[in-house]
Amino acid sequence: GCLTRCYHIKDGMKHGEEVVYYEDIQKPKLSIQWYEGKIQGHVKTWYRNGTMESQREMANNGKHGILLAWYR
């Protein structure tokens, strides 16, 4: 198999960076920052060719701050 997702668990909750990969090309598709089981920080997405698609700021599992998006 191929690596499809990578994240860390601390005290039974996600903590740190979670990365989801495209299965067929093994490049990052999504990156989420977790803090004690809650989404906290930047969430980033990439197109299949590796260029950034979007970046948003999150706090306590909700949208908070700036959202940036780029055309392919």
Side-chain angles (χ1 to χ4, degrees):
C2 298
L3 181 64
T4 58
R5 181 179 302 247
C6 180
Y7 58 89
H8 303 277
I9 299 289
K10 179 181 175 183
D11 298 326
M13 297 178 282
K14 289 183 180 179
H15 188 82
E17 183 179 25
E18 175 181 10
V19 180
V20 178
Y21 296 92
Y22 286 104
E23 291 184 31
D24 55 340
I25 57 175
Q26 291 295 291
K27 287 187 178 181
K29 178 180 185 178
L30 171 68
S31 169
I32 302 171
Q33 295 293 323
W34 293 89
Y35 182 77
E36 297 180 349
K38 295 182 181 178
I39 299 173
Q40 184 79 24
H42 289 103
V43 174
K44 301 175 186 177
T45 60
W46 290 269
Y47 291 109
R48 293 179 64 79
N49 66 6
T51 59
M52 184 78 70
E53 179 182 16
S54 69
Q55 178 176 306
R56 68 190 71 196
E57 296 177 22
M58 304 284 285
N60 294 317
N61 291 333
K63 298 175 189 173
H64 181 78
I66 297 172
L67 164 65
L68 301 170
W70 294 271
Y71 292 108
R72 187 179 311 210

